[in-house]
Amino acid sequence: MKKQDKAAKKKRTILAVSAVGVLVLIGGVIAYNRNRQFFDNLFHLGSTDDESFIEVFDSPQNWACQEETLKSVHYENGSGYTRAVRVKYEDYWKRKNSTSTDHETELPKEKDGKSLTKINFQNEELWILNQDGWYYYKYEVPNGGMTDDFMKSVVFDCDFEETEEYECTMTATGKECESGESDYMDATYHVYITIQATTEPSTVAGWSYTPEVFSEYLYDYIADRTNGSDAGIDYKTGANENTKEKGIYTYAEHAGDEYPVYFYRGAVKNNFVIFNDICWQILRTTDTGGTKMIYSGAPDENGKCSANSTGIAETEYNAYEGKQNAAYVGYVAGSNSSYATTQLTTSSGQYANGNYYGNDVEWNGSQYTLVNTIHPTSKWNDYEDDVDKRYHYTCGTTSATCESVYYIIASRGSSIGQNGAVYAISLSNGDTLETVKQEVFNNSDGADSDIKTVVDNWFRDNMTSVASRIEDTVYCGDRTFSRGTLYGLTTEDLLYDWDGSEFGIESRSPDYHNTGNKPIVDCPRKVDSYTVGNTGNGKLTYPVGLLTTDEAILGGAFPVTKDKPFESNGEFWTMTPDGVGRGFNWIVSTVGSNEGVIGRSAGISLYVRPVISLTHTTKINGGNGTADKPFTLKWDN
């Protein structure tokens, strides 16, 4: 700590100079790498029977209070044999300019019962602390495999206040004090980490743990590495450097299932897979034990993947030409795409004082009668809120009966009655709001979307030879309404400017009145559950779909953040409907490289990134899940 000439005691920050070195002990020979400024923690070793390594953490220069310094430590097995691994560490504070090699004589790690530092361990269930002081890795490490991180970071905890020290004496003129330096001035913090690996732990003196056999199944590998339940995650904040949410989490509502659902969240770097000579990034597991992955481009000539995929193509979700109807919001459209909106204006008398507005209608075979009506005859503002929320049917006249009726779905502008215009669907022959919803949103009996056609053609041309390795899981295109006039006859929750209606994803979006519900992994309705077989709606041609917005939020892609497990070089489509606008047109959610999750008009061209789900029988053949060494896969038959 640097000395400052001040009369009062001040809280200090430890100043330390980084001088990271690596000691690698192989066959009794110690080699010191003097020029290396960081250690990447990847051990590439020969086939010696027993191996021991020492890694050093030195505190960085000007280590700030509560600053977290990343320090990833793990063992990678390149020995040619299966290994058992154990780790221990020793940490201490070193005085300025000290040359002592006796750590016991250095500064204490605690002062006045308070610790200066905190080591964050990655997963204490996978690294088992024994009474001998060693942390034993739970599983055998096969050749070509690696352990999970032992530690992930060190934090200068600031529980300890270091002050300048003063020597004071009494003189004839009073107390005189001379400042001095604390022992911790310019001290540095060090951690020595020893990693040992052996093929025969039973023959090593003092080795007190027998590792479990490593499960080759991809699902089991993911399950064993969960950080625990997501019950404590605040999905309104996204995953970022402040929340420190990074890794695998268990979806709490499925924790007790035969196959709990696990998902990747934050800027993870170990979810890459090569399958069918294509790079993928793992998103989550399914309730049938499968593993969902998103397309991440082609590997390079060295078999490495990239986190910056664009996709298989660019396309509109559904081109608007000839399809300007909300039926086309579905991955497969609804059966009736003939409904259109009409603008009702005050000047035409269709939307004005003196007209009747009903909460519901009755049909007698030839005409409609408005039910539970309101009849504004004075100042419009006295009725505006009631009409907005509860009285959406109107004949557009001063009568409460008519052969055809309007159902109001949206306004234009910020205040109905002031600008004098709304948008409505014209209904006849006994059709009602429920008829519209049934024919437009409650089935998938219409045409395939443009994006489904692109995805299907790509799968047909590239993936049919490996289709038996892909499970028929659900891809959800939720079209339940969460608010707006299409939600129901009484709508207490209107959109801003009353400009349409929103689907269910908006109620699970973190910006929904800042109280968004939790993102889901189960599709609310079978009609929106896209599958090949009859476990869902049976509307898929091949077992392939797109990312859902719920999955994107689970991964941390909201609000605006780059910390998500499926980075992209550009904005790409999800298969999640977002809303219906005033023109009965539609909006679909997308994921941007920097924007997070947003809604887009479905007629623009964006990237397409298919999603597939591997079967539960999928096994890991090699790799460690990083972009440089993606998992390779195998099956028993």
Side-chain angles (χ1 to χ4, degrees):
M1 301 176 199
K2 295 297 183 183
K3 179 180 175 182
Q4 297 183 9
D5 295 327
K6 293 187 178 180
K9 293 184 178 182
K10 300 290 185 180
K11 182 182 289 188
R12 301 298 182 188
T13 300
I14 301 295
L15 301 180
V17 179
S18 177
V20 177
V22 181
L23 294 175
V24 182
L25 179 60
I26 303 178
V29 179
I30 296 178
Y32 179 59
N33 186 345
R34 293 181 179 275
N35 297 319
R36 198 168 187 175
Q37 297 303 308
F38 63 92
F39 188 64
D40 61 11
N41 305 301
L42 301 180
F43 297 97
H44 302 278
L45 305 167
S47 58
T48 56
D49 186 49
D50 295 308
E51 300 163 337
S52 181
F53 322 95
I54 298 175
E55 184 174 352
V56 181
F57 169 85
D58 291 340
S59 53
Q61 188 174 7
N62 298 325
W63 208 9
C65 184
Q66 294 300 329
E67 178 181 350
E68 181 176 32
T69 303
L70 298 180
K71 186 60 178 178
S72 173
V73 177
H74 59 256
Y75 166 78
E76 181 174 330
N77 185 9
S79 67
Y81 303 93
T82 296
R83 297 281 187 181
V85 180
R86 67 179 182 177
V87 174
K88 70 177 178 180
Y89 73 94
E90 178 185 11
D91 62 327
Y92 66 95
W93 282 93
K94 189 173 183 178
R95 291 181 177 85
K96 177 183 178 182
N97 299 325
S98 172
T99 59
S100 172
T101 58
D102 183 1
H103 301 166
E104 297 299 324
T105 65
E106 294 293 344
L107 296 169
K109 291 177 287 186
E110 294 184 355
K111 188 172 182 180
D112 301 327
K114 295 181 179 180
S115 175
L116 280 155
T117 54
K118 177 184 177 182
I119 297 176
N120 291 321
F121 298 98
Q122 183 68 34
N123 192 322
E124 296 181 13
E125 292 185 3
L126 292 176
W127 289 97
I128 300 167
L129 176 60
N130 205 292
Q131 292 180 348
D132 59 8
W134 286 91
Y135 291 80
Y136 290 83
Y137 191 58
K138 182 178 181 179
Y139 298 106
E140 295 176 342
V141 182
N143 181 49
M146 74 179 209
T147 68
D148 292 80
D149 284 347
F150 168 64
M151 62 180 285
K152 61 180 179 179
S153 63
V154 183
V155 179
F156 180 27
D157 214 8
C158 291
D159 285 338
F160 166 79
E161 291 189 15
E162 182 54 35
T163 61
E164 291 185 1
E165 297 179 352
Y166 297 87
E167 294 181 1
C168 300
T169 58
M170 295 300 298
T171 68
T173 58
K175 182 187 290 186
E176 292 184 0
C177 299
E178 185 175 322
S179 64
E181 287 193 351
S182 162
D183 286 340
Y184 286 89
M185 286 287 189
D186 285 336
T188 54
Y189 177 70
H190 304 262
V191 182
Y192 280 80
I193 303 155
T194 303
I195 304 175
Q196 290 186 348
T198 182
T199 56
E200 296 291 342
S202 61
T203 66
V204 178
W207 199 289
S208 58
Y209 177 80
T210 301
E212 298 178 20
V213 175
F214 172 76
S215 174
E216 296 178 312
Y217 288 99
L218 181 58
Y219 177 89
D220 292 345
Y221 180 93
I222 295 169
D224 285 338
R225 284 152 181 81
T226 178
N227 290 331
S229 172
D230 71 335
I233 291 178
D234 182 359
Y235 286 102
K236 296 190 294 296
T237 62
N240 54 59
E241 61 181 11
N242 295 320
T243 64
K244 303 293 188 298
E245 290 165 3
K246 177 182 176 182
I248 300 169
Y249 293 86
T250 307
Y251 194 81
E253 288 74 9
H254 281 273
D257 293 357
E258 179 182 3
Y259 295 110
V261 173
Y262 305 98
F263 61 93
Y264 283 80
R265 181 170 174 82
V268 297
K269 305 298 182 185
N270 60 346
N271 64 332
F272 286 91
V273 173
I274 286 185
F275 173 60
N276 197 35
D277 296 323
I278 297 170
C279 291
W280 305 83
Q281 286 177 274
I282 300 172
L283 299 168
R284 69 174 180 93
T285 65
T286 68
D287 59 6
T288 52
T291 303
K292 266 193 173 183
M293 311 185 300
I294 189 169
Y295 176 90
S296 195
D300 65 16
E301 63 275 10
N302 297 314
K304 297 181 179 181
C305 296
S306 169
N308 296 306
S309 173
T310 53
I312 60 169
E314 285 187 79
T315 187
E316 302 93 344
Y317 187 89
N318 243 336
Y320 271 157
E321 185 176 355
K323 300 177 181 177
Q324 289 179 303
N325 183 279
Y328 291 101
V329 75
Y331 194 60
V332 178
S335 60
N336 190 338
S337 58
S338 64
Y339 291 105
T341 55
T342 299
Q343 187 175 358
L344 309 182
T345 64
T346 301
S347 59
S348 68
Q350 294 171 310
Y351 187 61
N353 280 346
N355 290 357
Y356 279 89
Y357 301 87
N359 176 256
D360 203 350
V361 291
E362 292 179 350
W363 170 255
N364 66 5
S366 60
Q367 69 175 8
Y368 292 94
T369 299
L370 302 181
V371 176
N372 188 12
T373 60
I374 190 172
H375 188 206
T377 56
S378 59
K379 187 178 180 181
W380 176 260
N381 287 345
D382 293 341
Y383 300 92
E384 181 177 1
D385 189 62
D386 282 337
V387 172
D388 289 356
K389 295 180 177 180
R390 287 175 285 279
Y391 299 93
H392 305 141
Y393 283 105
T394 182
C395 291
T397 66
T398 56
S399 174
T401 60
C402 45
E403 294 183 0
S404 61
V405 71
Y406 297 108
Y407 186 85
I408 300 170
I409 66 166
S411 74
R412 182 188 67 191
S414 60
S415 179
I416 301 171
Q418 293 180 8
N419 55 39
V422 294
Y423 292 81
I425 302 171
S426 179
L427 302 173
S428 59
N429 298 318
D431 288 350
T432 64
L433 170 64
E434 291 307 311
T435 308
V436 174
K437 292 172 72 172
Q438 182 61 40
E439 295 180 355
V440 175
F441 305 113
N442 292 354
N443 70 83
S444 297
D445 296 331
D448 286 353
S449 61
D450 292 346
I451 197 169
K452 181 178 183 296
T453 300
V454 170
V455 170
D456 284 352
N457 290 343
W458 172 84
F459 191 98
R460 179 199 63 205
D461 295 341
N462 296 277
M463 302 294 291
T464 51
S465 64
V466 293
S468 63
R469 307 302 187 191
I470 301 171
E471 70 169 356
D472 182 21
T473 194
V474 168
Y475 298 88
C476 185
D478 179 22
R479 291 174 297 172
T480 58
F481 283 99
S482 62
R483 62 172 173 167
T485 55
L486 293 173
Y487 174 78
L489 299 179
T490 299
T491 307
E492 295 298 326
D493 193 8
L494 293 172
L495 275 67
Y496 174 74
D497 281 355
W498 201 39
D499 197 16
S501 297
E502 291 178 340
F503 290 109
I505 185 58
E506 285 294 337
S507 68
R508 303 184 295 273
S509 173
D511 65 345
Y512 185 77
H513 299 305
N514 203 34
T515 57
N517 299 313
K518 182 177 179 177
I520 59 175
V521 296
D522 299 309
C523 205
R525 306 189 304 176
K526 187 174 182 178
V527 70
D528 296 326
S529 300
Y530 290 91
T531 58
V532 176
N534 59 13
T535 57
N537 61 16
K539 298 299 180 179
L540 291 184
T541 308
Y542 303 104
V544 60
L546 300 173
L547 179 77
T548 69
T549 304
D550 290 279
E551 291 167 339
I553 297 172
L554 283 174
F558 196 102
V560 178
T561 176
K562 293 190 69 175
D563 291 344
K564 50 188 180 288
F566 41 83
E567 287 304 328
S568 174
N569 256 346
E571 192 173 347
F572 63 94
W573 291 110
T574 74
M575 65 184 298
T576 304
D578 187 81
V580 176
R582 67 179 70 152
F584 211 48
N585 56 350
W586 66 99
I587 301 168
V588 178
S589 295
T590 68
V591 178
S593 55
N594 295 311
E595 297 88 350
V597 176
I598 49 179
R600 294 289 194 192
S601 171
I604 65 174
S605 186
L606 297 173
Y607 289 116
V608 182
R609 296 182 67 181
V611 171
I612 61 173
S613 185
L614 298 173
T615 63
H616 181 63
T617 58
T618 303
K619 293 183 177 181
I620 296 172
N621 187 48
N624 57 29
T626 61
D628 287 345
K629 291 191 174 183
F631 290 124
T632 57
L633 306 174
K634 65 181 180 180
W635 292 262
D636 287 337
N637 51 55

